[in-house]
């Protein structure tokens, strides 16, 4: 049997979602309740800043940001997650889930439920790719309002600088996209791009 990933069309031996897209979806579902929470801070136009007052998801309609945030908070996110949950339950031959309680609780429960059923979804649910895409879209819409998750950068390893007494610094060095030079926050040691590999090689065993 030949198959392909419903999200990226990569060929698969079986199933409907490739491991990379399963992971991305799992992470999005895990972040969703936090994102939902973050939207609360953007319900009034003042909070969003005057220059960012037009939402990307309603480009052209000149809708103020608070309405887009409102859409996502009161309905949008919960409805998207719940309708997918309902369809997965239907596909598994289970009854319809109840949508009750606060919207916040509904987002949390639906995201968690989908996360716990990802293995089955990836293996046996033909619409898995559409589910992954729609979760990505709703996350994109929310992120266009609240801004990106803070990027802490990729962890390169520990600072290998040695001080006068022979002690290794050991502070964590992170790399943010586009950075060509890293400075250790702790000891101030500088690493140029050509040193990155050396830094990786000099890592103490089991640390990377
Ligand atoms: Zn894929
Ligand atoms: Zn250091």
């Amino acid at each position: 049997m030949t198959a392909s990933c419903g999200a990226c069309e990569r060929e698969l031996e079986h199933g409907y979602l490739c491991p990379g897209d399963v992971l991305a979806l799992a992470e999005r579902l895990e972040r969703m309740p936090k994102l939902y929470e973050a939207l609360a801070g953007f319900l009034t136009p003042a909070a969003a800043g005057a220059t960012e007052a037009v939402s990307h998801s309603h480009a052209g309609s000149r809708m103020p940001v608070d309405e887009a945030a409102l859409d996502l908070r009161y309905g949008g996110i919960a409805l998207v997650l719940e309708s997918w949950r309902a369809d997965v339950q239907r596909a598994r031959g289970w009854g319809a889930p109840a949508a009750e309680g606060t919207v916040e609780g509904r987002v949390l429960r639906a995201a968690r439920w989908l996360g716990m059923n990802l293995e089955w979804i990836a293996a046996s649910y033909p619409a898995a790719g559409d589910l992954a895409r729609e979760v990505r879209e709703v996350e994109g819409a929310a992120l266009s309002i609240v801004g990106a998750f803070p990027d802490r950068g990729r962890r390169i390893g520990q600072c290998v600088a040695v001080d006068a007494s022979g002690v290794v610094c050991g502070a964590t060095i992170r790399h943010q996209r586009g950075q060509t030079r890293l400075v250790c926050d702790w000891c101030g040691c500088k690493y140029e791009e050509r040193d990155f590999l050396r830094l990786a090689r000099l890592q103490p065993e089991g640390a990377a």
Side-chain angles (χ1 to χ4, degrees), residues 56 97 153 199-200:
H56 302 301
L199 183 62

Side-chain angles (χ1 to χ4, degrees), residues 5 7-10 17-18 21:
C5 172
C8 70
E9 291 175 8
R10 187 169 299 156
L17 216 51
C18 73
D21 278 307

Side-chain angles (χ1 to χ4, degrees), residues 79-146:
L79 288 182
V80 165
L81 297 179
E82 279 170 350
S83 62
W84 281 111
R85 175 183 175 176
D87 197 62
V88 172
Q89 293 205 179
R90 182 199 52 75
R92 301 194 77 164
W94 300 347
E100 51 194 28
T102 62
V103 184
E104 193 163 9
R106 286 166 51 196
V107 168
L108 189 69
R109 277 194 304 277
R112 189 180 292 157
W113 190 92
L114 287 168
M116 287 188 320
N117 285 272
L118 269 190
E119 209 174 313
W120 185 88
I121 289 169
S124 316
Y125 184 53
D130 295 329
L131 192 171
R133 251 194 309 276
E134 218 174 294
V135 170
R136 188 174 63 203
E137 277 164 19
V138 83
E139 182 184 71
L143 283 176
S144 76
I145 293 167
V146 305

Side-chain angles (χ1 to χ4, degrees), residues 159 161 169-171 184 186-189:
C159 178
C169 169
C184 173
W186 186 249
C187 73
C189 173

